């Protein structure tokens, strides 16, 4: 190598560097942007954000740096020539409201620096200055990981390496280490596990990390950084169809540093156990796996914890550098091994198809605040025309005889049982309806309806909302109690000079007319906003316009508000802001259901509050939101107060269906609705109702299942028992007491193979023979003396009702 020439080139490079707008270049410095950025894992751009804009952090513009996607890694071979690395790190100002990110710096494979975990919006705004000693170091790895949010990008502003005065070689970017370079030879025809998205079909808490943990921390095993890996919680299972072309499986297995508890890794080839790690703890040496796959058809990867050990269930188990080598002649990627769900035998459910005879469906209780209009469409089906009547309606209320809509105003608190009758030429049917007049009595059972986001996202408009309303009626959802049609974000336009919010007239030319259209069908109108200056989509929020916005919505006929934290989460008085909007809604003189993003503060008087982040269209999200995050939440629920694990993904709505989130299976949809019903959760559809097929209608319009969700006692269900958390067996049982003295029992199989689950009546406080009804089949199963046992298919659920219903128990509301 021509050392003098190299020194001349280095000197020239240094002479071409420019002082940043916000910082000063160090002597003998090399800007990181001058390296070959093609080596970066993830999106990257030199001296610009990934979107091509100037780098700007907290209002300060930087001339130097690299802009990266939120999940990015850069490996620099220092060649012993650098003495220090310096940078200013933060999510770029243009993306700051989308989420937060963290930076990690590794020197010679060891963690040398990490930004603190973000604790709020204000913390996101502060750039973090990084200065790391590189004396005698050989390697530098920069890692940026999204902590919250989506589609965010980060900047390493003024990122530079200080070079040693006597440096003979220039640092250069290098390929990321794969975690197995010392253990195995690298082969070209290789498929890394973390390159197969959605490979892991189950994980203990539903969370999976690819190249990092699910909480956005790097893979660090026994103090060493690894760039490749799939990270899961115990009770994880993966099945890979090898297609007969695989030759070998390599991996290292270990527990991420900082995790407590022990896990065991198991690998099966063609359903025969081929590897068992024994129990592994964080800090222990990695287990090496090297299996011959020639001629094999199936590979199964399993991670289990210690039964009953809470710490074990929270450990991060890592398959690092795991890869499958493929026969040299296989070139087309479609012929490569790929993850596949085990064959799922569909759980049978009753087909719901309303007949010509009149029938009454839906909730058996409704209400309104004193002095506020009540609006309730009696859910009914049958050959039209239908004729409705009511006996013992409270004073001030009346029922429309042709459409069954009850309207009017009740002056004083009361709880009154009336008798609703519907008839047509085929006959008549009647049942009781309890009507309550009490403060905030407008949602005495969880809201049933539809929200625009999962199907249309920012493309929502007036026509799509009307089509959803039409579909809700035409497909029979409205006849079974679904009533809310909610517009999510991106309806907002501008404010008038006096501060009144308007709709985006290109999308919504007349909001009042839209509200009238919905009400004319007996449906209710929902809207979206934020307590901050802007919504999650960057549209106008309600900050400092709460009274004006509430009055505007009331004038449009709005019945439901989804109030999303977004930019409001950074406000120091956010708690007061949640309460303020409730007060403003109440001052409109109209009952408006209040759905909050986070707060369940009793003073805010929310009818429902989110208990999770945004749901994803995949099985892991059903696992996480419906089960893991719902443990213990039942203590907060009651009539008019509901935990909300987010909207439904049944029907695989378009805006959520991507290659990364391809959707959930028929069995998983049954589990989804069963668990949300056991949780007394709102059931808000998000798919295209106009295209709803027979299965979707049968899934959502089953009166037995809806009766569990809409039970007026509103005692949220809880987990009774979880069998040992092993990947190839076990199940769960959840129970929920119902207002008529019966008990709803749900059996779940979150594992990868069909299992049998048995319940003893003693476990639910019952003795002697008990009648059992299968809710999904809508079928009486007979009397069972000791308990009940059932087969549950993979990722499916069975829902039964146990006991004999008592009478005269439907007056359950005690006020709020």
């Amino acid at each position: 190598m021509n050392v003098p020439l190299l020194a001349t080139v280095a000197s020239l490079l240094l002479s071409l560097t420019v002082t940043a707008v916000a910082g000063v270049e160090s002597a003998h410095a090399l800007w990181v942007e001058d390296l070959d950025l093609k080596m970066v894992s993830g999106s990257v751009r030199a001296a610009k954000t990934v979107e091509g804009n100037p780098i700007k952090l907290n209002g300060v513009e930087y001339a130097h740096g690299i802009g990266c996607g939120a999940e990015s890694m850069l490996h620099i071979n220092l060649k012993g020539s650098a003495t220090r690395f310096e940078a200013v790190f933060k999510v770029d100002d243009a993306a700051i409201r989308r989420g937060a990110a963290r930076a990690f710096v590794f020197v010679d494979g060891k963690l040398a620096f990490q930004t603190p975990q973000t604790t709020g919006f204000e913390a996101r705004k502060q750039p973090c200055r990084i200065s790391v000693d590189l004396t005698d170091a050989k390697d530098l790895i920069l890692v940026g990981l999204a902590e919250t949010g989506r589609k965010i990008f980060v900047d390493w502003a003024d990122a530079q390496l200080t070079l040693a005065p006597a440096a003979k070689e220039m640092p250069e970017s290098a390929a990321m280490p794969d975690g197995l370079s010392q253990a195995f030879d690298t082969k070209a025809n290789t498929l890394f596990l973390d390159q197969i998205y959605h490979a892991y079909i189950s994980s203990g808490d539903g969370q999976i990390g690819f190249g990092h943990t699910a909480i956005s921390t790097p893979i660090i095993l026994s103090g060493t950084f690894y760039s490749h890996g799939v990270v899961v919680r115990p009770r994880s299972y993966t099945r890979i169809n090898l297609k007969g072309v695989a030759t070998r499986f390599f991996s290292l297995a270990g527990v991420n540093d900082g995790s407590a508890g022990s896990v065991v890794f198991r690998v099966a080839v063609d359903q025969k156990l081929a590897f068992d790690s024994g129990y592994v703890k964080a800090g222990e040496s990695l287990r090496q796996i090297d299996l011959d796959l020639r001629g094999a058809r199936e590979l199964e990867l399993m991670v289990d914890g210690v039964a009953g050990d809470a710490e074990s269930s929270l450990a991060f188990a890592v398959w690092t550098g795991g890869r499958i080598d493929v026969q040299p002649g296989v070139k087309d990627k479609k012929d490569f091994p790929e993850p596949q769900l085990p064959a799922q035998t569909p759980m049978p459910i009753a087909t719901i198809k309303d007949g010509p005879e009149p029938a009454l469906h839906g909730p058996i209780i409704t209400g309104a605040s004193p002095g506020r209009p009540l609006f309730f469409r009696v859910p009914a089906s049958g050959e039209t025309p239908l004729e409705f009547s009511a006996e013992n309606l409270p004073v001030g209320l009346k029922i429309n005889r042709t459409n069954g809509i009850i309207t009017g105003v009740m002056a004083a608190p009361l709880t009154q049982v009336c008798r609703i009758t519907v008839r047509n030429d085929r006959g008549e049917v009647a049942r009781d309806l309890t009507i309550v007049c009490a403060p905030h009595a407008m949602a005495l059972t969880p809201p049933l309806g539809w929200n625009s986001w999962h199907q249309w996202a920012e493309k929502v408009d007036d026509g799509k909302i009307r089509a959803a309303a039409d579909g809700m009626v035409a497909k029979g959802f409205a006849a079974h109690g679904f009533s809310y049609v909610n517009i999510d974000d991106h309806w907002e336009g501008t404010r008038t000079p006096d501060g009144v919010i308007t709709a985006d007239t290109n999308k919504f030319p007349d909001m009042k007319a839209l509200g009238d259209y919905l009400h004319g069908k007996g449906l209710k109108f929902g809207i979206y906003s934020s307590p901050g200056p802007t919504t999650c989509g960057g549209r106008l929020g309600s900050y400092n316009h709460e009274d004006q916005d509430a009055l505007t919505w009331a004038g449009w006929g709005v019945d439901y508000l989804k109030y999303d934290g977004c930019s409001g989460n950074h406000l120091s008085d956010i708690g007061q802001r949640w309460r303020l909007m409730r007060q403003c809604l109440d001052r409109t003189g109209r009952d408006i259901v209040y759905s909050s993003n986070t707060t369940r503060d009793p003073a805010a008087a929310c009818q429902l509050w989110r208990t999770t982040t945004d749901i994803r269209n995949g099985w892991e999200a059903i696992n996480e939101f419906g089960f893991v995050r719902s443990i213990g939440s039942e203590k907060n629920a009651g009539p008019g107060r509901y935990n909300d694990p987010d909207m439904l993904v049944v029907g695989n709505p378009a805006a959520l269906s991507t290659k990364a989130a391809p959707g959930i299976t028929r069995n998983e949809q049954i589990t989804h609705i069963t668990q949300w019903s056991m949780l007394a959760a709102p059931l808000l559809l998000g798919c295209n109702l106009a295209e709803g097929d027979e299965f979707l209608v049968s899934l959502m319009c089953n009166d037995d299942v809806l009766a569990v969700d809409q039970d007026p006692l509103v005692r949220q269900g809880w987990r009774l028992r979880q069998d040992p958390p092993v990947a190839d067996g076990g199940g769960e049982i959840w129970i929920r007491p119902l207002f008529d003295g019966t008990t709803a029992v749900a059996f779940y199989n979150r594992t990868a193979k069909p299992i049998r689950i048995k319940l003893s009546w003693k476990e639910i406080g019952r003795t002697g023979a008990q009648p059992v009804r299968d809710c999904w089949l809508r079928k009486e199963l007979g009397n069972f003396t000791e308990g009940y046992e059932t087969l549950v298919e993979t990722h499916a659920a069975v829902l039964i009702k146990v006991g004999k219903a008592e009478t005269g128990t439907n007056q359950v509301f005690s006020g709020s």
Side-chain angles (χ1 to χ4, degrees):
M1 181 176 289
N2 190 326
V3 176
L5 176 60
L6 182 62
T8 301
V9 172
S11 177
L12 178 61
L13 283 173
L14 292 175
S15 68
L16 292 176
T17 56
V18 183
T19 302
V21 172
V24 179
E25 173 194 357
S26 301
H28 306 291
L30 172 66
W31 296 114
V32 171
E33 69 212 54
D34 291 330
L35 298 172
D36 181 3
L37 298 182
K38 293 179 182 179
M39 293 293 189
V40 174
S41 172
S43 303
V44 66
R45 186 173 293 205
K48 299 283 186 180
T49 71
V50 291
E51 294 184 338
N53 300 316
I55 292 173
K56 186 177 287 188
L57 305 181
N58 209 17
V60 178
E61 188 172 312
Y62 292 78
H64 291 280
I66 57 173
C68 300
E71 295 185 2
S72 55
M73 301 180 187
L74 173 60
H75 179 205
I76 303 174
N77 180 353
L78 298 173
K79 299 185 177 181
S81 298
T83 60
R84 184 161 296 277
F85 167 73
E86 294 179 287
V88 182
F89 177 89
K90 190 180 74 70
V91 173
D92 192 87
D93 286 359
I96 191 65
R97 298 195 184 279
R98 300 182 198 169
R102 297 183 68 187
F104 301 86
V105 179
F106 293 87
V107 177
D108 291 339
K110 305 297 183 181
L111 182 63
F113 178 87
Q114 61 179 316
T115 54
Q117 188 171 10
T118 303
T119 57
F121 189 85
E122 287 297 330
R124 294 187 203 171
K125 294 170 62 177
Q126 303 305 317
C128 184
R129 296 193 173 274
I130 303 171
S131 181
V132 176
D133 184 11
L134 299 180
T135 304
D136 296 327
K138 297 178 180 179
D139 284 288
L140 175 70
I141 296 177
L142 309 180
V143 179
L145 294 175
E147 186 178 5
T148 61
R150 306 181 209 171
K151 298 181 180 179
I152 64 174
F153 47 91
V154 300
D155 301 323
W156 300 82
D158 276 351
Q160 59 182 290
L161 295 169
T162 301
L163 302 177
K168 296 181 179 181
E169 293 186 274
M170 295 291 286
E172 60 184 13
S173 55
M176 292 299 300
D178 65 15
L180 290 176
S181 57
Q182 296 180 353
F184 307 110
D185 292 332
T186 300
K187 300 194 177 185
N189 225 18
T190 291
L191 186 69
F192 282 98
L193 288 182
D194 56 5
Q195 294 171 338
I196 312 174
Y197 192 87
H198 206 63
Y200 281 73
I201 63 172
S202 64
S203 179
D205 64 353
Q207 294 183 316
I208 307 156
F210 295 85
H212 53 80
T213 73
I215 60 172
S216 296
T217 55
I219 296 174
I220 307 175
L221 300 167
S222 298
T224 300
F225 169 77
Y226 290 83
S227 61
H228 277 291
V230 179
V231 188
V232 296
R233 301 285 198 189
R235 201 177 187 184
S236 166
Y237 174 86
T238 304
R239 175 181 178 268
I240 299 175
N241 179 0
L242 298 174
K243 299 184 179 179
V245 301
T247 59
R248 190 161 296 278
F249 172 63
F250 299 121
S251 188
L252 297 176
V255 177
N256 216 54
D257 288 4
S259 293
S262 301
V263 306
V264 58
F265 297 85
R266 296 189 180 96
V267 182
V269 178
D270 288 338
Q271 300 185 355
K272 294 182 179 179
L273 187 65
F275 174 83
D276 188 318
S277 68
Y279 283 111
V280 184
K281 293 183 178 181
E284 293 184 351
S285 60
L286 303 184
R287 305 303 196 260
Q288 179 175 307
I289 307 164
D290 183 357
L291 299 176
D292 189 342
L293 297 181
R294 286 174 295 180
R297 309 298 303 181
E298 179 181 280
L299 180 70
E300 294 172 286
L301 308 179
M302 297 163 278
V303 179
D304 294 330
V306 179
D309 184 345
E311 289 187 337
S312 174
S313 66
L314 295 176
F316 283 122
V318 185
W319 303 88
T320 186
R323 69 182 194 237
I324 299 170
D325 285 348
V326 180
Q327 295 169 0
V330 181
K331 301 299 182 183
D332 195 326
K333 293 297 183 183
K334 70 180 177 60
D335 297 323
F336 271 47
E338 62 182 358
Q340 288 186 347
L341 290 167
Q344 291 190 18
T345 301
M347 288 292 292
I349 64 173
T351 299
I352 304 301
K353 189 173 183 179
D354 294 327
E357 297 80 10
L360 288 163
H361 314 281
I364 60 174
I365 189 170
T366 189
S369 301
R372 306 292 172 89
L374 180 142
F375 183 87
F376 178 77
R377 169 180 167 160
V378 173
S381 64
E383 188 177 87
T384 57
L386 294 172
E387 181 182 346
F388 295 84
S389 61
E391 300 175 14
N392 199 37
L393 276 177
V395 173
L397 301 185
K398 61 181 180 180
I399 187 170
N400 186 304
R401 298 182 67 86
T402 59
N403 60 25
I405 299 175
I406 299 174
T407 57
V409 176
M410 296 174 284
L414 60 81
T415 298
Q416 191 161 313
V417 179
C418 60
R419 189 74 172 171
I420 304 295
T421 301
V422 60
R423 60 179 62 85
N424 64 8
D425 291 341
R426 301 297 186 105
E428 69 174 49
V429 65
R431 76 171 185 182
D432 288 346
L433 173 69
T434 299
I435 298 180
V436 175
C437 180
H440 300 151
M442 57 281 208
L444 299 180
T445 56
L448 302 175
W450 178 88
N451 178 284
S452 65
W453 185 256
H454 287 173
Q455 179 66 25
W456 303 117
E458 70 277 3
K459 297 177 182 178
V460 65
D461 60 35
D462 181 278
K464 294 180 175 70
I465 298 301
R466 291 175 187 252
D470 295 345
M472 186 175 286
V473 173
K475 293 292 184 177
F477 299 106
H480 287 263
F482 287 81
S483 60
Y484 291 95
V485 178
N486 298 343
I487 307 172
D488 210 280
D489 203 357
H490 290 278
W491 64 265
E492 306 87 347
T494 59
R495 292 192 181 276
T496 64
D498 56 355
V500 175
I501 195 165
T502 64
D504 182 340
T505 54
N506 292 323
K507 295 182 172 190
F508 294 95
D510 191 335
M511 289 293 247
K512 176 65 167 61
L514 178 57
D516 291 344
Y517 183 82
L518 299 177
H519 292 148
K521 292 180 172 290
L523 304 176
K524 297 180 180 181
F525 185 14
I527 205 75
Y528 171 100
S529 191
S530 169
T534 59
T535 66
C536 291
R539 297 276 186 152
L540 288 176
S542 294
Y543 182 68
N544 285 341
H545 291 275
E546 290 84 358
D547 258 320
Q548 283 182 307
D549 288 358
L551 286 168
T552 298
W553 300 329
W556 293 342
V558 164
D559 305 289
Y560 182 113
L561 169 64
K562 176 182 175 182
Y563 213 39
D564 204 346
C566 303
S567 63
N569 287 332
H570 78 280
L571 299 172
S572 59
D573 62 344
I574 182 60
Q576 297 175 27
R577 293 284 171 178
W578 292 118
R579 296 189 285 274
L580 173 61
M581 181 49 79
R582 175 76 272 172
Q583 296 163 10
C584 294
L585 294 175
D586 289 345
R587 283 195 287 266
T588 66
R590 184 177 184 82
D591 271 343
I592 298 178
V593 171
Y594 188 25
S595 168
S596 91
N597 173 252
T598 55
T599 185
R600 61 170 184 262
D601 175 10
C606 303
Q607 276 67 52
L608 52 151
W609 51 85
R610 285 281 295 279
T611 57
T612 65
T613 54
D614 291 348
I615 199 168
R616 305 173 298 280
N617 193 18
W619 169 244
E620 76 283 353
I622 306 303
N623 253 321
E624 177 189 353
F625 289 16
F627 295 91
V628 177
R629 296 203 186 193
S630 295
I631 299 297
S633 66
E634 65 274 5
K635 62 182 178 295
N636 301 313
R641 288 179 56 78
Y642 311 110
N643 293 301
D644 179 10
D646 205 7
M647 301 172 290
L648 306 177
V649 295
V650 296
N652 294 320
L656 287 194
S657 298
T658 65
K659 183 178 180 181
I664 57 177
T665 66
R666 176 188 173 113
N667 282 357
E668 291 162 359
Q669 292 185 67
I670 293 171
T671 294
H672 189 6
I673 299 305
T674 302
Q675 183 63 349
W676 264 240
S677 295
M678 291 294 286
L679 294 173
L683 300 181
L684 296 178
L685 289 153
C687 54
N688 191 336
L689 297 184
E691 297 178 356
D693 58 13
E694 181 182 271
F695 174 71
L696 181 67
V697 173
S698 298
L699 184 75
M700 301 309 305
C701 296
N702 182 311
D703 288 341
D704 285 45
V705 178
L706 286 175
V708 174
D709 179 74
Q710 295 290 296
D711 188 78
L713 185 62
V714 191
R715 285 198 64 189
Q716 181 182 313
W718 61 89
R719 187 165 68 189
L720 175 72
R721 192 180 80 222
Q722 182 181 33
D723 288 344
V726 293
D728 56 353
E732 295 194 9
I733 299 176
W734 290 60
I735 63 172
R736 180 178 176 186
L738 304 178
F739 86 107
D740 62 2
T742 62
T743 302
V745 181
F747 301 83
Y748 297 104
N749 178 5
R750 294 166 60 196
T751 70
K753 297 177 182 178
I755 58 175
R756 298 194 69 84
I757 306 176
K758 185 175 183 179
L759 170 72
S760 166
W761 293 151
K762 292 181 180 179
E763 293 181 85
I764 60 172
R766 293 181 179 270
T767 58
Q770 299 291 327
V772 172
R773 180 176 175 84
D774 189 307
C775 295
W776 279 115
L777 294 177
R778 304 202 69 202
K779 180 181 179 181
E780 300 293 346
L781 301 181
N783 293 327
F784 293 79
T785 305
E786 300 295 332
Y788 185 74
E789 183 177 355
T790 185
L791 174 69
V792 189
E793 297 292 344
T794 300
H795 292 186
V798 171
L799 179 62
I800 63 173
K801 186 176 178 180
V802 181
K804 183 178 180 181
E806 302 170 4
T807 59
T809 57
N810 60 343
Q811 297 185 42
V812 297
F813 183 73
S814 58
S816 65

